[in-house]
C-alpha cells in the first residue's frame, strides 16, 4: 500500500489542539485586533474613530524619530546580549563542572533573584549609582576624584540594569547545555595531547553553543521589548522602542499609534525568533525551562 493510501493520523493534531486553542485565543486574536486598531484614527485623547487609513503607518515609516528608536533598541539589545553571554558563560561553566556535592545550592542562588520583583531590583541601582549612593559614598571615603560622579540616567546604567535582570536567563541556558555534555570528553581530549584551553575550545565550547544561542535569543528579545529599565535608570535620550509604545498608549492616549508601534515591535522581535528557529531550532529553549 502506497503512502498516499494510508489513513491520515490525526492524533498529533488532537494532542496539540488545546495548546492551539489557547494560542489562538490569547495571542493570534488579540494581535489581530491590534493590527486592525492600527488603522483607526485618533482625533483626541482616548477618542478614536474606525477609519481604514494608513496615517499611523505612514508616520512610522517617514518619521526619523521612530527609526532612531529602532536603531537604539537593536544596538542596545546586541550590546546587552554580548555582555550577558560573556559574563554568563563563566558562572554556568563553574556550576556545571563543579564537584561540590551541594550543587543545588548554587542553582538556588542563581534563581533566587527571580523571587524578587525585577522593578525592585532595578530600583536598587539608584541606591548604588545615585549621587548619594553607595559607589559615590565609597569614593568619597577613599578621597577619589571630584564627587559626586554622575552615573545615573546614562546608557551605562541602563545596560547594567538590563544585565542584572536578564543574566540568570543566559546562565541557565548555558548551564543546561553544559550539563548535557559527556564529562569524559574534555579529559579524553587532554589525554590526546590537548591543553586545558584547547580541550575547552575544541570540545566544550562548540557543544555548548546551542545553549549559548538560546540564552542570547532570550536576552535579546527581553531587552528589545523592555521599557521599565530605561524608564527608571535612563535619561531622556535613553528611550527604547518599548518606551514609545508606553508613551503612545499611557501618556498620549493615542491607542491607534500605540497599536502600530506594538505590532512593529512584535514583527521585529518575531523576525529574530523565526531566524533563530530556522538556524538552531526551539528545543534548547524548552530545555531551559524543563
Amino acid at each position: 500500500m502506497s503512502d498516499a493510501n494510508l489513513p491520515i493520523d490525526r492524533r498529533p493534531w488532537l494532542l496539540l489542539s488545546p495548546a492551539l486553542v489557547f494560542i489562538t485565543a490569547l495571542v493570534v486574536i488579540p494581535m489581530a485586533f491590534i493590527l486592525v486598531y492600527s488603522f483607526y484614527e485618533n482625533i483626541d485623547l482616548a477618542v478614536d474613530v474606525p477609519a481604514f487609513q494608513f496615517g499611523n503607518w505612514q508616520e512610522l515609516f517617514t518619521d526619523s524619530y521612530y527609526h532612531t528608536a529602532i536603531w537604539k533598541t537593536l544596538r542596545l539589545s546586541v550590546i546587552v546580549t554580548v555582555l550577558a553571554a560573556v559574563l554568563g558563560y563563566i558562572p554556568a561553566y563553574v556550576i556545571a563542572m563543579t564537584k561540590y556535592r551541594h550543587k543545588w545550592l548554587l542553582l538556588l542562588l542563581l534563581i533566587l533573584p527571580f523571587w524578587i520583583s525585577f522593578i525592585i531590583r532595578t530600583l536598587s541601582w539608584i541606591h548604588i549609582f545615585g549621587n548619594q549612593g553607595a559607589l559615590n559614598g565609597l569614593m568619597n571615603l577613599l578621597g577619589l576624584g571630584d564627587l559626586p560622579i554622575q552615573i545615573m540616567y546614562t546608557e551605562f546604567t541602563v545596560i547594567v540594569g538590563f544585565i542584572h535582570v536578564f543574566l540568570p536567563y543566559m546562565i541557565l541556558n548555558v548551564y543546561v547545555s553544559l550539563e548535557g555534555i559527556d564529562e569524559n570528553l574534555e579529559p579524553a581530549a587532554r589525554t590526546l595531547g590537548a591543553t586545558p584551553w584547547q580541550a575547552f575550545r575544541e570540545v566544550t565550547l562548540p557543544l555548548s553553543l546551542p545553549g549559548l544561542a538560546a540564552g542570547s535569543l532570550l536576552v535579546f528579545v527581553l531587552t528589545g521589548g523592555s521599557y521599565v529599565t530605561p524608564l527608571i535608570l535612563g535619561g531622556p535620550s535613553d528611550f527604547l522602542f518599548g518606551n514609545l509604545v508606553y508613551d503612545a498608549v499611557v501618556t498620549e492616549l493615542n491607542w491607534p499609534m500605540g497599536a502600530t508601534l506594538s505590532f512593529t515591535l512584535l514583527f521585529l522581535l518575531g523576525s529574530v525568533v523565526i531566524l533563530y528557529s530556522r538556524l538552531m531550532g526551539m528545543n534548547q529553549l524548552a530545555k531551559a525551562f524543563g
Side-chain angles (χ1 to χ4, degrees):
M1 181 181 293
S2 64
D3 292 342
N5 295 325
L6 292 175
I8 299 175
D9 188 1
R10 293 186 173 86
R11 287 175 298 178
W13 289 107
L14 291 175
L15 294 173
L16 286 173
S17 57
L20 293 176
V21 169
F22 275 108
I23 291 174
T24 303
L26 300 178
V27 178
V28 178
I29 293 178
M31 292 312 302
F33 275 111
I34 289 178
L35 179 61
V36 171
Y37 212 83
S38 69
F39 295 102
Y40 278 35
E41 183 179 5
N42 177 256
I43 57 176
D44 202 350
L45 292 176
V47 179
D48 310 313
V49 293
F52 189 77
Q53 51 87 33
F54 294 90
N56 299 315
W57 290 99
Q58 184 179 6
E59 182 178 347
L60 173 69
F61 286 119
T62 56
D63 194 334
S64 61
Y65 179 67
Y66 299 111
H67 306 162
T68 302
I70 292 175
W71 163 245
K72 281 185 176 180
T73 302
L74 296 178
R75 182 177 63 83
L76 205 64
S77 298
V78 170
I79 292 174
V80 172
T81 302
V82 171
L83 290 176
V86 174
L87 297 175
Y89 198 98
I90 298 172
Y93 184 84
V94 170
I95 296 173
M97 300 302 170
T98 183
K99 301 301 181 185
Y100 181 51
R101 61 176 180 171
H102 298 301
K103 184 186 288 188
W104 64 270
L105 185 59
L106 299 178
L107 292 172
L108 178 64
L109 293 174
L110 178 61
I111 64 174
L112 202 57
F114 291 120
W115 297 357
I116 305 172
S117 167
F118 82 95
I119 295 179
I120 296 176
R121 283 182 281 154
T122 302
L123 287 170
S124 68
W125 287 105
I126 296 177
H127 301 286
I128 298 175
F129 287 149
N131 290 346
Q132 305 298 324
L135 185 59
N136 272 305
L138 177 63
M139 295 179 70
N140 186 36
L141 286 176
L142 298 175
L144 301 176
D146 296 328
L147 301 176
I149 297 177
Q150 182 62 42
I151 306 174
M152 280 297 301
Y153 313 120
T154 62
E155 187 177 272
F156 169 77
T157 317
V158 175
I159 292 173
V160 171
F162 274 136
I163 292 177
H164 176 210
V165 173
F166 298 138
L167 188 60
Y169 294 100
M170 177 67 76
I171 297 175
L172 279 175
N173 275 278
V174 178
Y175 166 75
V176 170
S177 184
L178 289 169
E179 272 289 295
I181 300 175
D182 190 338
E183 60 181 12
N184 295 316
L185 290 179
E186 265 199 41
R190 293 178 192 173
T191 59
L192 295 175
T195 63
W197 168 245
Q198 286 175 324
F200 169 77
R201 189 186 61 194
E202 301 294 337
V203 177
T204 305
L205 182 60
L207 292 176
S208 64
L209 285 181
L212 195 61
S216 299
L217 173 69
L218 279 178
V219 173
F220 184 91
V221 171
L222 292 173
T223 303
S226 295
Y227 70 93
V228 174
T229 303
L231 195 66
I232 296 175
L233 301 178
S237 63
D238 296 317
F239 60 89
L240 299 185
F241 204 79
N243 295 98
L244 301 188
V245 178
Y246 175 84
D247 289 340
V249 174
V250 178
T251 306
E252 302 169 6
L253 299 180
N254 187 348
W255 297 335
M257 194 63 206
T260 306
L261 298 175
S262 299
F263 203 84
T264 303
L265 186 61
L266 173 71
F267 174 79
L268 292 174
L269 299 182
S271 299
V272 176
V273 174
I274 291 173
L275 180 63
Y276 171 86
S277 179
R278 298 282 296 178
L279 295 177
M280 304 295 296
M282 302 301 287
N283 57 327
Q284 287 297 326
L285 288 178
K287 288 180 182 178
F289 298 100

